[in-house]
Amino acid sequence: MMNGETIVFYLLAALTLVSALMAVTSRQIFRAAICLLLSLLGIAGIYFWLRYEFVAAVQIVVYAGGIAVLIIFSVFLTQRSGEDLPRQSRARMLSAAVAALTGLGLVMLQVLRHRFSGTTNPAIDNGVSAIGRRMLGVGEDGYALPFEVVSMLLLAAMIGCIVIAMRSKTKSS
Amino acid sequence: MWSFSKLTDLIHAWLYETFSPAWALALEMVMVGVAAIGLFAMLGLVLVIMERKVSAYMQIRLGPNRVGPKGMLQSLADTLKLLVKEGMTPNGVDRVLFNLAPLVAMIAAMLLLAPIAFAKDFQIWDLNIGVLYITAISSLNVIAILMAGWSSNNKYSLLGAMRSGAQIVSYELSAGLSILTIVVLSGSLQISDIVTSQSNGWWIFKGHIPAIIAFVIFLIAATAETNRAPFDMAEAESELTGGFHTEYSGMKFALFFLAEYINVFVVCAVGATLFLGGWMPLHIGSLDWFNHAMDYIPSSIWFFGKTFFLIFVMMWFRWTFPRLRIDQLLTLEWKYLLPIGMVNILLVTVIAILKWHF
Amino acid sequence: MVEEIGTTDEGDLIINIGPQHPATHGVLHLVITLNGETVRKVEPHLGYIHRSIEKMCESLSYRQFIYSTSRMDYLSSHINNHCCAMTVEKGLQLEVPERAAVIRILMDELTRIASHVLWWGAMAMDIGAFTPFFHAFREREMINDIMEETCGARLTMNYMVPGGVQFDLHPNFHRRVKAFVKQLRNKLPEYDELVTHNAIFKSRTKGVGILSKEDAISYGCSGPTARASGVDCDIRKTYPYEGYEKLQFEQAMSTDGDTYSRYLVRMVEMRQSLSIIEQLIDNIPEGDFQAKTKAVLKLPKGEFYSRVETARGEFGVYIVSEGGTTPYRIKFRSPGFSNLSALDHTVRGQKIGDLVAIMGSFDLVIPDIDR
Amino acid sequence: MTNEEIIAALTERKPELVSETGGEWPNFMVAAAEWPGFAAMLRESEDLWFDYLFCLTCVDWKTHLTMVYHLSSTRYRHNIVVKATLDRSAPEIGTVCNIWRTAEFHEREVFEMFGVHFSDHPDLRNLILPDDWVGYPLRKDYDDPVNMIKM
Amino acid sequence: MMEPGLDHLLFIGTALFFIGIYGFLTRRNLITMLMSLELVLNSVCLNFIAFNKYLWPDRLDGLFFTVFIIAIAAAEAAVAIAIIIHLFWNHKSIDVHAAEELKN
Amino acid sequence: MFLKDYFNDIAQAVGSLLSGMRRTGYYFTHHKEIITEQYPDNRATLVLPERFRGEVVMPHNGQNEHRCTGCTACELACPNGTIKIVTKFELNAEGKRKKAVDAFVYHLELCTMCNLCIQACPTDAIKMAQSFEHSVYDRSQLTKILNKPESKLQEGVE
Amino acid sequence: MGPASMIVLIMAAVTFSVIAILVSRTVLKATWNPQKGEPYECGIPTRGQTWIQFNVGYYLFALIFLIFDVELIFLYPWAVAVQQVGWIALVEIVIFFFILFIGFLYAHKKGALKWV
Amino acid sequence: MSAETQPAKFPGLVQETAGGGILSGPLEDVINWARSNSLWPLTFATSCCGIEMMSTAGARYDFSRFGFEVARATPRQADLIIIAGTIVNKMAPVLKRLYDQMADPKYVIAMGACAISGGPFFYNTYSVVKGADHVIPVDVYVAGCPPRPEALLHALITLQEKIKSGGKRERIEIDGSTLK
Ligand code: SF4
Ligand code: SF4
Ligand code: SF4
């Protein structure tokens, strides 16, 4: 029997895949951006469905709140967003589609053939406080180091952005 | 004492007795949905009339007083009128996104209601990342605004939308930081935990100076995030006429309006929950008679009282201050609020680890 | 006209502000070239309220044409009328009775305050504060009451006639004016509290929209707009008329030339107008309020020019007479027209939010510009 | 300077100038062709320093047009009126908007109202009237049977 | 329809991946290519979470990887967009051809 | 000192903002400051100043007589042609033909309430009334004939 | 209620909005004219296109925001665990902030946080 | 103020305005009640009368008491244009466009002599529209120059009465050819 959860899952999956497809095919760049966002929200929905609320929230915060806005701004900045993107050559689209479909087929074949074996240990709490403890842990399975490394990465990214963007700004004016 | 939880339990039990589980669940869902819509609409009506009255009194005038007793039906008349006003779609707009945008705004606003604890044990969904959830969902607003602004094919809308995009996004940081201050103190993201952690005093009292600083930052950031004056860049009337909703009319516009007010309500509710103890009554140390007296006031009244107080403060801001310019607004965030917020977090960490809070 | 395409340069956006726009205080149409939020260029398009008053006045008698000038700068309608009456009197070589002159000055100053008060509210509203607007109307309504009692109308009073004023002062006038002076003196600190000292307001206006002294002169700016840039151009001081030379007051001046100093100059002017009123209110000479004139006025052949200081700046009336009962040609030199021409220069390079603030500080009245 | 001094100072420089008397301020007639140069002289001379153009207009005398410039000095507080007679059928005079920038708008107004052409004006378009307006409304013979209801 | 399980999630992940690849191959515009890339990254995240959920529910590493990937994706997007804008300022176009020009 | 300036800025800004809020807060709590007059409710007590110019009227006395001789001085004085006087000739008591006003047409929709007609009238036949409720659905109702039907010139007015 | 509430709320929002929008369609016979469809720009026909490429001055802020936003999401689990972990958490966050603060100062110094 | 006659001099059809009609009975009454009590004006002022309109909005007269408070800067959300001031030929197409861009139902008040007939600028001017009803249909005329705030309030009440009584507004189809 189909219960509510299953329906929701399939709805989310459909949302994700359909809007992802539209994101890569739409010739209206702004719409493509919105579709991408919808697709990412669909993924967040799947995380919710899987009861990984923290990841879902992170996904929404970063993608909806950050990356989408950034992409939209850069669209405004660099495109005449009212005009359609140029049409691609049919051959190119076809070959890309064939390549993607073949890839998909091959991988799925492998996936379905492969018997995954996981643990049968009981699931542990994936609540935020567990995540927090793990993240701050300095021991064997702690993520303290990556946590600090991320800050380095962010620093690097920020400096990179500023260097690049500021240079172009001074140049433009 | 009368409480919501008993009522909901009763209904729940009755439903499951009378109907088969599937039907009961469905019915329950419908009831929650209807209740949510009702709450939503009520809040909208009340907030609109409140805003008008507050502004009127600050502006030495009377405000609406002719529709219904003391003008209380004014916002009802407005709603009805908007309901039967033409909601048109101009040519040349991106029809899909244009019509989708108010819907997105509504969905975002509605979803925000889920984790709010309206009273003792009365919460739609007490999920374990409560406040993070609210932060996440409220960032969907940006998308609604950008969608509306872009799809309107109107220069004012576009400019307004981009402004508010930049603004909401920036102020999310300080809002997040000030929320974190309380999270550090209470050690949980779950709304119910945060409320219970304040049973012996609200965080604004027992969190020392960092909590107060965080509270102020939160108020400012909340005002900015809901696009209200003095941060109403998006619809800066004297510059961009209507901002992102310039082209919207009738109910489509009303939905934005409603969503905006619900957002105001939600951020104030979050503020009340984090800093003012949610539905927790005011308790003073060991003043027992006082505490008992306070306990007699229903928890929902405490919650709404605090929330409406914060809303009033935001209205007070709105009707007092001039508007900031967009660059000043961003400077305020990046030069003042963010560094202060970061230092504040460190401070509160020390306090939390030393257990200096009560 | 050649319609330009939307962009002039990469990333430039052309946007219309007005004719129906809350910030333009009427029906000014500005075509703005924006780069991001920065204003590249502002091109005013006028004429949305061009009522051809100059042409119309050519067929009105010297008594009749005065009323049409109160519809130009309706916020200083008295002062406009005053100037017209003075020009006609100049032509007729008519002495105005002393009482009439004092009444005129009193009314002028009340009008100036009313105009500045309204401007104060509107300026605050432009910057986004709504409450001051309503508070401003409280004081403005008091002036309106005084006007209504004596002149019979609230806005377009039509009180001046060649040779004096239409009616004598109302018996309540003294009492009301004194009450008003007291009230405004009490409320001005409140104004400061709400707007002048407000940190947001200051940061919005300080150092924004700077107009240098040379530019102000070259653009023909006058009134508070020019005085904020350090031009001493108060006609009441420089070319006194109607007994202003006997009064004690200072020209409100500033040298910064930014939006804030334009604001401050007007605030100071309000206080000065109050002090002028205080100097006069107890010393109104007895006598006629109107000189005897013929029923039909005829100006001798010649040209007559007189200038006054309205709330917005120098207003001039230039009458060319052929000796008939109607002016042959009449030209109104309106302060707003010249002030507006400096707008583009002042706004360039500022943000679009500043544009509104700068326009607010110029205190434009569009019918005054379009005539 | 008093009016007499101004007249003296100017006739000294340009003896051919015609000055009118009567009226409050000294009145000078210049030839249209000489006007921009004369204007620059008025603006630049240290003793005259007419830096403030407060009124610029035109009068239609049915046979000819007269441009009228009212100037004053913010330094010496003296005033002067300069006039130039123009041919009515093809009125043309040099612009002074590089000398007094306020002239730009005033000249545009005179252009549309009287049809005076200002040579070298940077942007001579209709300012107040609609772009497709026909006729010069402030000329005496202007008639508009549609819009103008005569009393 | 079946009860959703690991396979379904993996299918979504893989499909997203190849949709992203498809977009990456067909688009000539840097921003849209970046958008396709985001899809690819997300498919990876999804797989991590799926494995974590269905195979090793006793661990949190998949979750952590996802969070870190999101963080890195954000940083990457920021830098990429900075570069795109930089390119745009210099070449007035963000077509890949413009980027190719950069190589020379 | 950088930090000192930084905090000074903040303190000053907050201070100024708070003083603004105190002002609005004062008005919010002091309702006696409200100055609103409630127009349709205060209609009965509304007294307008006697000089207020609402519209031109022609007073008639008890015998339905007015003072207008039809001299058209007001028509000439009016700057915008608001008044049109239609005259007729009637025989007076001595049997002389005499000009009299037939219809005093007054276009309220044009009138600017400038008072020039009143001042011009040699016989004080017209005056300004304080009425102001002139709203109508149809603009033709604003054109009025001020002399009442069958009204006559008052005795002794020349 | 659990996660199902999200579905319920979304459904509620959608039904509410759709019904509200449809009411006026049924009740009102709206008129139409060609000018109604044009974009509103203060009563003047708009000049040129709206959807043009446009200088967004704020993109730099958005860039930096994104970085900080990521930082913020790492702070959430940290904040929850602070009291359980104790001093180490403080040390870690001080390092974390310190590194970020360098970036912040750098941005400030470079004038990236100033308006264009 | 009873008969709603159509001004004779204007050519064209009389059309029922949008917003009337489909529903009847009490529901219609409720809708009319809502509409009449929530007339959001467009901030439209061209000249002197605009100042009196602002006075009416101001604290002393406060038209928000009737629910007219929410002055909208965009015609899409406004229900009412108060034509406060002179309309000149250059402005007429703008006014028409603004009116056209408003969402139905929409109402118009002509405030002051200028808006009714050109008022002081009726004779000898070449640029003034002799009455705003040449451009857009007008529901209520209020005379005065300017009408005092009470008079405007009276006009608003008059308009409310009209809406409440379900007054089908006559709409005068204007020959579009004269306007650009
Ligand atoms: S008041 Fe003025 S406009 Fe009215 S009728 Fe008299 S003269 Fe004419
Ligand atoms: S009202 Fe007076 S001025 Fe006018 S026609 Fe009658 S008597 Fe003459
Ligand atoms: S009616 Fe009178 S007050 Fe109103 S706009 Fe016309 S001239 Fe001005």
Side-chain angles (χ1 to χ4, degrees), chain F residues 56 77-80 82-83 106 110-117 128:
Chain F
V56 175
C78 180
N80 53 337
T82 304
I83 297 171
Y106 170 60
L110 282 173
C111 181
T112 55
M113 321 297 169
C114 65
N115 215 30
L116 291 181
C117 52
M128 278 288 176

Side-chain angles (χ1 to χ4, degrees), chain B residues 283-323:
Chain B
H283 283 178
I284 299 179
S286 51
L287 218 59
D288 275 340
W289 63 269
F290 180 79
N291 295 348
H292 280 305
M294 290 291 120
D295 283 339
Y296 264 98
I297 300 174
S299 58
S300 54
I301 292 199
W302 276 110
F303 172 77
F304 281 104
K306 291 169 191 173
T307 309
F308 275 88
F309 170 71
L310 288 187
I311 294 174
F312 170 73
V313 172
M314 276 172 70
M315 289 178 181
W316 198 355
F317 287 163
R318 171 165 184 180
W319 298 109
T320 309
F321 298 141
R323 180 186 306 122

Side-chain angles (χ1 to χ4, degrees), chain A residues 152-166, chain E residues 79 82, chain G residues 64 67 99-100 102-104 106-107 110:
Chain A
M152 290 300 290
L153 173 85
L154 294 181
L155 174 69
M158 181 145 70
I159 292 179
C161 286
I162 289 168
V163 168
I164 297 167
M166 292 300 284
Chain E
V79 176
Chain G
I64 300 171
I67 310 288
I99 295 174
L100 267 170
I102 295 174
F104 190 78
Y106 179 79
K110 276 275 174 177

Side-chain angles (χ1 to χ4, degrees), chain G residues 26-33 35-46, chain H residues 18-19 22-23 31 35 73-76 94 96-98 100-105:
Chain G
T26 53
V27 173
L28 188 89
K29 260 196 306 180
T31 56
W32 182 258
N33 54 55
Q35 302 204 335
K36 210 170 188 172
E38 287 171 24
Y40 165 72
E41 204 171 311
C42 289
I44 292 288
T46 178
Chain H
I22 298 179
L23 298 167
I31 289 177
R35 277 185 183 150
T74 147
R76 308 284 186 193
V94 179
K96 175 102 173 74
R97 174 181 292 266
L98 286 176
D100 283 341
Q101 291 190 335
M102 279 165 78
D104 288 316

Side-chain angles (χ1 to χ4, degrees), chain B residues 114-129:
Chain B
I116 305 275
F118 293 100
K120 197 165 191 277
D121 299 326
F122 187 76
Q123 204 172 354
I124 299 178
W125 181 21
D126 186 20
L127 80 176
N128 64 1
I129 51 157

Side-chain angles (χ1 to χ4, degrees), chain A residues 2-3 6 9-10 13 16-17 20-26 29 32-33 36 39-40 43 46-47 49-52 54-55 58-59 62-63 67 70-71 74-75 77-79 85 88 92-93 96-97 99-100 103-104 107-108 111-112 116-119 121-126 130-131 134-135 143 146-147 150 153-154 157 161 164 167-168 171-172, chain E residues 1-12 14-16 18-29 31-32 34-36 38-39 41-43 45-47 49-79 81-86 88-90 93-95:
Chain A
M2 273 206 7
N3 63 16
T6 320
F9 175 80
Y10 282 112
T16 312
L17 291 180
L21 260 178
M22 276 161 71
V24 294
T25 51
S26 170
I29 189 160
L36 171 77
S39 173
L40 300 176
I43 295 177
I46 295 178
Y47 293 156
W49 186 85
L50 289 167
R51 295 304 182 92
Y52 279 76
F54 178 69
V55 189
V58 167
Q59 171 98 356
V62 173
Y63 280 105
I67 295 182
L70 194 53
I71 287 182
S74 59
V75 165
L77 185 63
T78 57
Q79 306 274 306
L85 294 172
Q88 287 301 323
R92 188 189 188 92
M93 275 161 68
L104 177 64
V107 172
M108 276 325 286
V111 166
L112 291 177
F116 291 101
S117 54
T119 53
N121 293 347
I124 64 155
D125 172 32
N126 65 0
I131 298 173
R134 270 298 289 285
M135 196 175 83
Y143 277 85
F147 176 63
V150 159
L153 173 85
L154 294 181
C161 286
I164 297 167
R167 186 182 298 157
S168 56
K171 209 175 247 175
S172 74
Chain E
M1 249 186 241
M2 299 170 286
E3 194 65 18
L6 180 60
D7 291 348
H8 292 77
L9 285 169
L10 287 183
F11 173 73
I12 297 174
T14 328
L16 268 184
F18 284 104
I19 290 172
I21 293 286
Y22 170 81
F24 197 77
L25 289 178
T26 51
R27 296 282 173 147
R28 307 302 304 148
N29 179 307
I31 293 181
T32 40
L34 177 72
M35 282 156 58
S36 311
E38 294 297 327
L39 281 178
L41 280 172
N42 264 277
S43 75
C45 294
L46 191 61
N47 279 12
I49 289 289
F51 285 128
N52 193 341
K53 168 93 182 177
Y54 287 101
L55 300 183
W56 289 281
D58 61 334
R59 313 188 58 169
L60 283 175
D61 301 70
L63 188 147
F64 270 105
F65 268 94
T66 307
V67 174
F68 284 120
I69 289 175
I70 291 177
I72 291 165
E76 166 251 16
V79 176
I81 281 177
I83 292 173
I84 290 174
I85 287 169
H86 182 70
F88 169 75
W89 284 125
N90 290 333
S93 155
I94 51 165
D95 214 68

